[in-house]
Amino acid sequence: MESNMDLINKLNRQHQLNSDEWGELLRCNDEKVAKYAEQVAREQAKKIFGNKIYVRGLIEISNYCKNNCFYCGIRRGNTSVERYRLTKEQILACAEEGYALGFRTFVLQGGEDAAFTDVWMCDVISQLRENFPDCAITLSLGERTRESYQAMYDAGANRYLLRHETADKYHYEKLHPEEMSFEHRMECLRILKDIGYQVGCGFMVGSPGQTIASLVKDMELITKLQPEMVGIGPFVPHHATPFAKEEQGTVRQTLYLLSLIRILKPDVLLPATTSLGTIDPRGREKGILAGANVLMPNLSPTAVRKQYELYDNKICTGDEAAECRNCLENRVKAIGYELVVDRGDAPSFQ
Ligand code: 5AD
Ligand code: FES
């Protein structure tokens, strides 16, 4: 049997493992192995990105959602959350503010809000494209039709984030009500790739029912799909969801997975997420040191921030965009990295 260190070296050489090897590596809970993975991951990230950390300005455009995912605080079944939807003018104003702070990527994220017709979205996207021609426009609006994805791409969107949530159909069904389908999620990711978007998939670490076998499938999906970005962060319970009493994901497992994903796909864009920063005050710094190279501070108007609470105790809900930008700048500097303001396209797309 190869040692886990050998498996990390093998992953670093071949950028793939078979499912038994993945199982072995993912089951491992040895701090020495995690440290080794972190060291290899950080070396790989440094080789490709130097000490640069990309920032993406996140604009949470609506917390209306027609879905009822068991883990999510803005599920339609949560009647205790006050719903909001930004106007086009508000979205453009957020982008304006972000642009002035140096952001060159905007991420429009929202629940699956029926008010976001293709016409409405394309109008916002083309206005952003016109006002900020040097910026990348990223969308994170869930599952839509091919026609819709295509129209938004044609209007000027470049990237799309759609976490697959889990690559294990059985697990997917534990996280979502019956009306949602694993196959449809996968189909959406394939369509997005096919259209030409830079695509991000991803999953929560430690979500209820997640097993080593489901994580193996996540790694295999990443290997097969070759996404430009992978977003992972710990599952954090939200008090008004069916998963309120479930256990939170751990910092340790999140960091280990970040490192393994970096080694699997050295040039991938890998954010140190807000959820990681929520469960550990130094979570994002630790994420960067484990191989992450992207931060996604919030540009949403502070008046609505609290309402976009996917999980409890989300950080930065009271801070102005400029405060977060400065805060992040100081945090990355303190660990020897620097924030950069360019678009930061995936190396494979340049
Ligand atoms: N804890 C952590 N992450 C969550 N997300 C949704 N709910 C939670 C939660 N309770 C993640 C999902 C979704 C992304 C926008 O936020 O993975 O795709
Ligand atoms: Fe928002 Fe630190 S990143 S206050």
Side-chain angles (χ1 to χ4, degrees):
M1 184 47 100
E2 284 166 290
S3 78
N4 286 311
M5 306 275 195
D6 290 338
L7 285 175
I8 289 170
N9 292 333
K10 189 171 189 176
L11 179 62
N12 197 25
R13 276 193 317 271
Q14 303 184 347
H15 305 296
Q16 59 178 24
L17 292 176
N18 68 37
S19 51
D20 290 341
E21 292 167 334
W22 271 125
E24 183 74 24
L25 205 48
L26 290 165
R27 230 184 322 272
C28 169
N29 190 20
D30 180 341
E31 192 56 35
K32 280 206 289 298
V33 173
K35 277 276 156 254
Y36 183 62
E38 181 172 315
Q39 188 192 321
V40 174
R42 205 187 313 174
E43 259 167 38
Q44 287 293 8
K46 284 235 159 150
K47 231 188 261 168
I48 298 176
F49 303 102
N51 64 346
K52 295 184 166 68
I53 300 297
Y54 296 119
V55 279
R56 281 58 167 108
L58 185 64
I59 309 176
E60 296 154 335
I61 62 179
S62 165
N63 72 348
Y64 283 90
C65 191
K66 67 171 162 61
N67 290 334
N68 220 6
C69 307
F70 299 140
Y71 46 84
C72 185
I74 63 167
R75 66 199 303 270
R76 70 162 190 269
N78 179 9
T79 51
S80 61
V81 62
E82 202 184 319
R83 304 286 168 169
Y84 75 91
R85 179 181 301 124
L86 299 186
T87 62
K88 285 176 194 164
E89 293 67 36
Q90 282 176 306
I91 297 172
L92 291 168
C94 288
E96 192 77 51
E97 186 182 3
Y99 193 89
L101 291 170
F103 296 104
R104 294 296 176 268
T105 293
F106 302 117
V107 184
L108 306 188
Q109 185 176 87
E112 292 195 15
D113 181 345
F116 293 149
T117 61
D118 295 347
V119 173
W120 197 93
M121 279 313 309
C122 288
D123 187 33
V124 176
I125 295 163
S126 37
Q127 288 220 23
L128 284 169
R129 187 40 68 239
E130 197 180 308
N131 296 2
F132 311 101
D134 54 336
C135 291
I137 301 172
T138 304
L139 304 176
S140 179
L141 303 169
E143 298 178 21
R144 300 174 72 95
T145 61
R146 175 185 276 271
E147 294 65 43
S148 173
Y149 288 147
Q150 183 71 55
M152 296 192 295
Y153 184 82
D154 295 339
N158 315 95
R159 307 175 182 155
Y160 204 102
L161 310 180
L162 181 69
R163 288 191 178 179
H164 61 285
E165 311 299 356
T166 171
D168 178 339
K169 180 176 158 64
Y170 176 74
H171 183 213
Y172 191 90
E173 288 166 4
K174 285 192 170 176
L175 299 178
H176 304 95
E178 242 173 77
E179 71 221 26
M180 290 179 73
S181 122
F182 173 70
E183 286 76 17
H184 191 249
R185 193 92 178 169
M186 292 295 149
E187 177 65 9
C188 285
L189 282 167
R190 269 190 296 272
I191 292 172
L192 289 163
K193 267 254 163 191
D194 189 46
I195 290 173
Y197 280 98
Q198 298 179 46
V199 169
C201 67
F203 57 92
M204 292 173 287
V205 178
S207 63
Q210 186 172 67
T211 60
I212 297 300
S214 54
L215 286 170
V216 168
K217 293 200 169 84
D218 290 320
M219 296 302 127
E220 290 173 339
L221 177 79
I222 295 169
T223 313
K224 189 163 142 235
L225 182 72
Q226 290 291 318
E228 280 67 37
M229 184 162 180
V230 176
I232 67 161
F235 161 73
V236 183
H238 184 284
H239 61 276
T241 63
F243 288 167
K245 297 264 157 358
E246 298 288 337
E247 217 167 299
Q248 173 171 298
T250 67
V251 175
R252 185 184 164 111
Q253 196 182 20
T254 306
L255 297 177
Y256 185 47
L257 282 162
L258 282 170
S259 298
L260 294 181
I261 293 169
R262 168 64 65 210
I263 303 168
L264 166 61
K265 200 168 157 43
D267 65 357
V268 80
L269 294 162
L270 195 61
T273 61
T274 303
S275 60
L276 186 55
T278 294
I279 64 165
D280 182 325
R282 289 194 69 248
R284 289 168 297 176
E285 291 91 320
K286 290 178 184 171
I288 290 168
L289 295 171
N293 71 324
V294 173
L295 288 167
M296 299 173 67
N298 206 318
L299 282 180
S300 312
T302 35
V304 300
R305 292 257 187 112
K306 195 76 194 144
Q307 285 154 260
Y308 200 84
E309 220 176 23
L310 308 183
Y311 46 83
D312 288 342
N313 306 316
K314 186 175 164 203
I315 52 171
C316 299
T317 54
D319 302 287
E320 294 293 341
E323 291 177 80
C324 286
R325 196 208 179 282
N326 290 337
C327 168
L328 292 178
E329 177 117 51
N330 294 333
R331 283 170 185 262
V332 302
K333 260 196 206 143
I335 54 168
Y337 286 77
E338 60 165 330
L339 280 191
V340 291
V341 295
D342 54 286
R343 281 174 51 131
D345 280 289
S348 53
F349 248 79
Q350 283 164 357

